[in-house]
Amino acid sequence: MTQTKYISATPTIMSGDPVIVGTRVPISRILFLLKEGYTLEAIHEEYPHIPTEILAGAIDEVIAVIKHTLHAKKVSQV
């Protein structure tokens, strides 16, 4: 099991896809809705059991993971 404050990935829940902690809502679904132009408030209307603060926190965690994973490495000169 992998878990941050807002995102969890467990092999027995949604086949291990990362979800909002305590739910079965995939973080990929939240990102898809953002891409489609949904606001956090509109996403909250779709998933009223997830507070907007948790949605925002999960999105911030995704951003942090991407920044950490894809951060440019210093290239040595030959």
Side-chain angles (χ1 to χ4, degrees), residues 7-43:
I7 300 171
S8 176
T10 305
T12 57
I13 298 174
M14 300 295 291
S15 300
D17 287 346
V19 297
I20 303 292
V21 168
T23 75
R24 298 178 66 81
V25 178
I27 190 66
S28 61
R29 176 69 181 153
I30 303 304
L31 296 175
F32 172 80
L33 292 173
L34 286 171
K35 180 185 81 142
E36 292 297 308
Y38 281 62
T39 63
L40 284 180
E41 291 76 18
I43 295 171

Side-chain angles (χ1 to χ4, degrees), residues 59-73:
I59 293 164
D60 288 341
E61 285 183 353
V62 169
I63 292 167
V65 167
I66 290 169
K67 285 176 77 174
H68 176 74
T69 304
L70 298 178
H71 191 270
K73 306 287 186 222

